[in-house]
Amino acid sequence: MGFFRKLFGRTSTEPSTLDSAPAATEQPAVAIENPASSEPLVEPTTAAVDVEPAAAPTSPEPTAELPAAQSAGALATERSQKTTAPLDPEQLPERDPDGTNYLGTRDISNAPIVAKAVSTRGLATWAARDIGRIRRNNQDSVYSLLMSLPDGEHDLSVGLFVVADGMGGHEGGEIASRRAIETVMIAVLEQLALPAMADEDPGNPLPLLMMTAVQDANTRIWNEAQAHGTDMGTTCTAALMVGDGLYIAHVGDSRLYAMSDGKLRLITSDHSTVGRLIAMGQLTEEETRNHPLRNQLYRTVGQHPELQVDSIYQSLEGISHLLLCSDGLWSMVDDDEMAAIINETPWPKDACQRLIARANLEGGEDNISAVVVSLPPLQAQGALR
């Protein structure tokens, strides 16, 4: 059973397409004349397709014409109807009479025609950050990673996306944000990627893995801050994509949006004073952008010995893009404009650059970070739930 089937606790009884082809027909032994003896030699039986010998090389002597039944068209039709086993290259002719190469392989007559599936948008990601127009140093950190991990006979797309907005003291915020991302990244690689490659039993469930990783980052930053006498801390919004599911661990006021039908929807909640006022219905989203308390956070990573982490699961069905960003972006550019930029920009790298440029044009009052993820169109059918 594959690593992710163990992780999700699922089993599959569907037969593999690789095993669906019938076995190759065993060919009878063929007698070969031994030039040194009058007794014939018997060639061992092999499981191979009956392949016609290659056309003789050009020579001044005339060659016999192929029978009509073995013409190029008839031969190609006959071969396309056969199920064959892999052949040794030395057993194969260089070319068919019609000039095409032919290799014996399994029957793929019922396989999907992938060559006709042309994608207008694929799985891609980019992470970018900018110092802005006012700050003296950049305390934001960003991270994005896409990989393919084995799941039994198949592979599963896995991605890790993180935004951390640091705070506290000279370079303290930069250190805190980097520690947060480093801790989350190591946890995912050690507890998910490496065991999956070895097909070992999975460790923690994915929501617990992400929550524990952020809590470990909190402990690490808190201990380092106490040792150096600083008050450094950071926000942390981390999302782990496994197949068609997204597992989010969130602390602070960095944000994760999901795009469906061309519109952005906020998935996370801000752990700030104005965020709580919005949740209570006392402020609107627009009123928070210039509110004097908009930067006052009541929950961060590294500023208390214990930490509560928001754990969110989001299905990726119906979602075309993900956007993770610091408040340096969302406080400068409204949601509709961010959605328009992502919709108009096919590649995540270009989208990140345009989002950052727009935030700078609006004032660039803080460090600006963005991670954009585009998802395949097949995952973008239906509505965001």
Side-chain angles (χ1 to χ4, degrees):
M1 180 183 293
F3 174 85
F4 290 101
R5 289 188 175 85
K6 298 174 185 175
L7 187 62
F8 297 138
R10 69 175 188 266
T11 58
S12 174
T13 57
E14 297 178 3
S16 167
T17 55
L18 291 176
D19 298 328
S20 60
T25 305
E26 187 177 86
Q27 303 297 321
V30 180
I32 302 176
E33 183 177 353
N34 183 355
S37 173
S38 58
E39 297 180 0
L41 295 176
V42 178
E43 185 181 7
T45 300
T46 58
V49 65
D50 185 11
V51 178
E52 294 295 328
T58 305
S59 67
E61 297 180 5
T63 56
E65 187 174 346
L66 286 173
Q70 296 183 7
S71 63
L75 190 59
T77 301
E78 179 184 356
R79 285 174 176 167
S80 68
Q81 296 174 347
K82 287 185 177 181
T83 299
T84 64
L87 297 178
D88 187 328
E90 295 182 358
Q91 296 177 278
L92 299 172
E94 292 185 2
R95 290 186 180 277
D96 276 347
D98 64 351
T100 61
N101 291 326
Y102 179 78
L103 294 177
T105 59
R106 63 183 175 85
D107 182 13
I108 59 171
S109 58
N110 295 322
I113 308 301
V114 294
K116 294 183 179 180
V118 180
S119 297
T120 57
R121 185 184 66 250
L123 180 59
T125 184
W126 192 258
R129 63 193 180 111
D130 188 83
I131 195 172
R133 301 179 63 182
I134 296 179
R135 303 290 186 180
R136 293 180 176 271
N137 63 326
N138 195 343
Q139 295 187 327
D140 284 5
S141 295
V142 292
Y143 182 83
S144 66
L145 171 70
L146 286 176
M147 53 186 167
S148 178
L149 294 179
D151 181 23
E153 296 181 356
H154 306 282
D155 295 319
L156 203 59
S157 297
V158 176
L160 177 62
F161 321 108
V162 192
V163 168
D165 180 356
M167 62 199 76
H170 179 64
E171 295 185 351
E174 181 178 358
I175 294 172
S177 63
R178 286 180 179 271
R179 294 289 186 271
I181 287 182
E182 179 184 345
T183 306
V184 173
M185 177 190 67
I186 291 174
V188 170
L189 293 178
E190 288 184 346
Q191 300 180 43
L192 180 70
L194 293 179
M197 294 301 298
D199 199 24
E200 297 176 352
D201 289 339
N204 293 329
L206 298 181
L208 182 58
L209 186 159
M210 296 298 290
M211 288 178 59
T212 303
V214 176
Q215 288 170 340
D216 288 346
N218 180 76
T219 301
R220 180 180 179 185
I221 296 169
W222 168 258
N223 290 336
E224 191 167 339
Q226 297 305 300
H228 293 86
T230 70
D231 61 346
M232 64 180 179
T234 183
T235 70
C236 185
T237 301
L240 175 64
M241 180 192 74
V242 179
D244 58 359
L246 193 68
Y247 302 85
I248 306 163
H250 167 70
V251 176
D253 66 346
S254 295
R255 291 182 171 184
L256 186 147
Y257 294 87
M259 178 175 284
S260 178
D261 298 327
K263 297 181 179 180
L264 285 176
R265 174 185 169 188
L266 181 60
I267 303 299
T268 55
S269 298
D270 297 339
H271 298 144
S272 63
T273 300
V274 295
R276 180 167 287 178
L277 292 175
I278 291 175
M280 296 170 62
Q282 298 182 12
L283 279 180
T284 65
E285 183 69 31
E286 288 302 320
E287 291 172 334
T288 66
R289 297 186 183 279
N290 298 312
H291 198 282
L293 299 178
R294 67 183 177 88
N295 293 323
Q296 183 175 333
L297 303 181
Y298 63 82
R299 194 190 304 177
T300 57
V301 179
Q303 294 192 314
H304 297 281
E306 301 294 332
L307 178 66
Q308 179 181 351
V309 180
D310 286 358
S311 178
I312 306 166
Y313 172 79
Q314 175 64 55
S315 170
L316 293 178
E317 181 182 356
I319 295 177
S320 62
H321 294 82
L322 300 173
L323 169 63
L324 291 79
C325 60
S326 64
D327 65 331
L329 176 60
W330 64 258
S331 66
M332 294 284 102
V333 186
D334 63 43
D335 294 358
D336 290 340
E337 190 167 4
M338 289 193 296
I341 290 173
I342 294 173
N343 280 323
E344 295 168 0
T345 313
W347 293 105
K349 180 179 180 180
D350 298 336
C352 286
Q353 292 174 339
R354 287 189 60 188
L355 289 167
I356 290 172
R358 188 61 188 170
N360 276 321
L361 287 174
E362 293 295 330
E365 297 176 1
D366 199 350
N367 303 148
I368 310 160
S369 292
V371 176
V372 176
V373 185
S374 66
L375 302 173
L378 291 179
Q379 288 183 302
Q381 298 173 356
L384 177 62
R385 298 183 296 183

